[in-house]
Amino acid sequence: MSRELVIATGNLHKLEEIRAILTLPGLVLVGLSEFSDAPEVVEDRDSFEGNAIKKAEELGAFTGGWTLADDSGLEVDALNGAPGVYSARYAGEPVNTAANNAKLLQALGSRTDRTARFRCVMALCSPEGVVRTVEGRCEGTIAMDESGGGGFGYDPLFIPDGSALTFAQMVPATKNRISHRGRALASAVIAWGALLSRQ
Ligand code: ITT
């Protein structure tokens, strides 16, 4: 039996990572591009969880099927958790990765306390509108300069604990094995199984 899951993101890098990680037999992942006129969700909540739930509920109501949303970002301790929920638009609109990374390096300057974490909250919405959230985290530090050409977003600046490389210097499989998104997805699969067993 095959089952469809809509991945409710407009971020093609997230979609690519989720496709690489979530390879269960019989599971068909459907991107938002396969729907015309998907509504634009305004991410105006002050937490990853709030925004993930909002995306899953609004896009789940639109698709009518099992729908998974991802709200994620980088928290830097020395910056009191910034950029946090504002990670995508840290340097303003429109989204500009190079400007975000430059702003982060400038904000930290030569500080030596550079601990940080990526967080990913996923919200799974059933066709009936029941929502469950899970979270994955990856602890690390912010490098002094950008390194590596892989990944996306803040990956050239983020060195996960236990590694000498940034996420952007790793092959995708290595990042996905330890990343906030990989960890959130492992929990999302368990949450989905629990919801299905109630039906
Ligand atoms: P959707 O809301 O459509 O899913 P988005 O890019 O707007 O796409 P978010 O609001 O969750 O998604 O913002 C996530 C931002 O956090 C993203 O744009 C990056 O700047 C950063 N980010 C999240 N996960 C990341 C990762 O694995 N590597 C690097 N940066 C990441």
Side-chain angles (χ1 to χ4, degrees), residues 88-171:
R89 292 156 190 82
Y90 185 43
E93 303 263 14
V95 173
N96 182 330
T97 298
N100 286 342
N101 288 350
K103 181 173 176 178
L104 179 58
L105 282 179
Q106 193 179 24
L108 281 174
S110 59
R111 290 183 74 137
T112 53
D113 50 335
R114 304 177 80 91
T115 54
R117 72 201 51 77
F118 270 122
R119 291 178 58 193
C120 174
V121 175
M122 289 190 164
L124 176 67
C125 185
S126 78
E128 297 77 30
V130 178
V131 176
R132 292 284 181 276
T133 59
V134 293
E135 178 171 346
R137 294 182 178 215
C138 183
E139 301 285 335
T141 53
I142 303 301
M144 300 301 290
D145 294 297
E146 295 189 39
S147 301
F152 70 101
Y154 298 94
D155 282 349
L157 289 176
F158 185 79
I159 302 172
D161 284 353
S163 174
L165 303 177
T166 67
F167 267 165
Q169 290 176 300
M170 296 176 176
V171 295

Side-chain angles (χ1 to χ4, degrees), residues 8-11 14 17 43 48 55 70-74 84-85 87-89 95 97 100 118-119 151-155 167 175 179-181:
T9 180
N11 183 323
K14 286 185 185 177
E17 289 190 356
E43 296 183 41
F48 295 116
K55 287 189 265 194
D70 165 324
D71 202 69
S72 44
L74 181 68
V85 291
S87 290
R89 292 156 190 82
V95 173
T97 298
N100 286 342
F118 270 122
R119 291 178 58 193
F152 70 101
Y154 298 94
D155 282 349
F167 267 165
K175 175 186 173 185
S179 77
H180 47 309
R181 189 158 293 107

